[in-house]
Amino acid sequence: GESVGLHLPTLSVQEGDNSIINCAYSNSASDYFIWYKQESGKGPQFIIDIRSNMDKRQGQRVTVLLNKTVKHLSLQIAATQPGDSAVYFCAETFGDGLTFGKGTHLIIQP
Amino acid sequence: DAGITQSPRHKVTETGTPVTLRCHQTENHRYMYWYRQDPGHGLRLIHYSYGVKDTDKGEVSDGYSVSRSKTEDFLLTLESATSSQTSVYFCAISELMLNTEAFFGQGTRLTVV
């Protein structure tokens, strides 16, 4: 089965609020993690990545947190905007290619 | 989309017919990948290439073959399409090792009837 998964299939947030999308992984040997955003009808788009020797990494309005103790990854989006509406995937790698979770659909309420 | 073009973007084909999907990149990246995306399964790796004429199987390679005769082109072939191969297919490229950031194309929606 999948070694990477997401806790919630759908997340609904108010515009302007912060969003937190969670991901659990099962392979403790995974050493690199990526968050992708996929808008309807498009391919996944890289958002941010983090290596296993880090706990936190920040980008523009996004932060990824890695908790290796409980094998948990999260993506925080600050001041969520309508353009953030998409499906978000986490992906891990410990060998060939990337293993993706099933995705969380982020819905922005006006 | 990082200079990645997939063709065709949509295709409907009959069971048992051969189908070839093409991925073309202008980034001169070494690594190329084919994924399929299905509801409830996310993205799964079919085959990948680490150089011209160098390819290997991914998680769901049965029923698929690939070829890479030039750096810029990676072809995915379904020798005899089945309904279970109805899916959205994505090509991806990466510059460095397999386990680094990959850029994706727009996808090809394939329907096998």
Side-chain angles (χ1 to χ4, degrees):
Chain A
E2 299 261 347
S3 64
V4 178
L6 290 157
H7 293 309
L8 294 172
T10 302
L11 176 65
S12 183
V13 299
Q14 293 287 329
E15 182 177 348
D17 287 351
N18 296 336
S19 301
I20 299 176
I21 301 171
N22 295 305
C23 177
Y25 64 95
S26 60
N27 194 321
S28 58
S30 295
D31 58 3
Y32 180 65
F33 304 87
I34 305 177
W35 280 101
Y36 282 93
K37 172 186 180 183
Q38 186 175 24
E39 297 174 281
S40 180
K42 297 185 178 181
Q45 178 184 5
F46 173 88
I47 301 175
I48 192 168
D49 59 359
I50 188 168
R51 295 212 172 267
S52 58
N53 61 352
M54 304 171 69
D55 297 323
K56 179 179 179 179
R57 190 161 190 224
Q58 288 184 292
Q60 187 176 11
R61 274 202 314 118
V62 295
T63 300
V64 56
L65 299 177
L66 177 62
N67 185 330
K68 294 181 286 294
T69 301
V70 295
K71 289 183 279 191
H72 182 268
L73 192 69
S74 69
L75 176 70
Q76 300 178 3
I77 304 173
T80 309
Q81 303 169 357
D84 295 327
S85 180
V87 176
Y88 290 82
F89 295 94
C90 63
E92 65 174 319
T93 178
F94 52 88
D96 298 337
L98 296 167
T99 300
F100 286 82
K102 293 183 175 60
T104 291
H105 185 193
L106 180 63
I107 298 172
I108 314 303
Q109 303 284 355
Chain B
D1 292 316
I4 307 170
T5 304
Q6 291 185 230
S7 59
R9 292 294 313 280
H10 301 272
K11 186 169 182 65
V12 179
T13 191
E14 293 185 348
T15 299
T17 60
V19 176
T20 295
L21 309 183
R22 180 179 184 242
C23 178
H24 178 79
Q25 61 145 328
T26 58
E27 305 296 320
N28 200 36
H29 283 358
R30 177 179 176 184
Y31 297 94
M32 299 186 75
Y33 317 81
W34 277 107
Y35 286 87
R36 62 177 289 174
Q37 186 174 37
D38 305 288
H41 289 280
L43 285 147
R44 293 179 292 174
L45 181 65
I46 305 171
H47 281 279
Y48 63 94
S49 169
Y50 45 96
V52 174
K53 291 184 170 49
D54 293 323
T55 65
D56 208 344
K57 297 179 180 180
E59 177 188 357
V60 289
S61 60
D62 288 348
Y64 302 95
S65 62
V66 290
S67 65
R68 191 166 178 202
S69 59
K70 298 185 290 185
T71 298
E72 57 266 35
D73 291 324
F74 192 33
L75 304 180
L76 176 71
T77 297
L78 290 66
E79 300 291 347
S80 178
T82 67
S83 58
S84 65
Q85 293 177 311
T86 292
S87 187
V88 180
Y89 292 85
F90 287 99
C91 174
I93 64 174
S94 65
E95 186 175 14
L96 301 175
M97 293 166 55
L98 289 171
N99 57 347
T100 57
E101 172 187 347
F103 296 98
F104 285 79
Q106 293 276 52
T108 295
R109 181 172 294 276
L110 176 68
T111 303
V112 183
V113 297

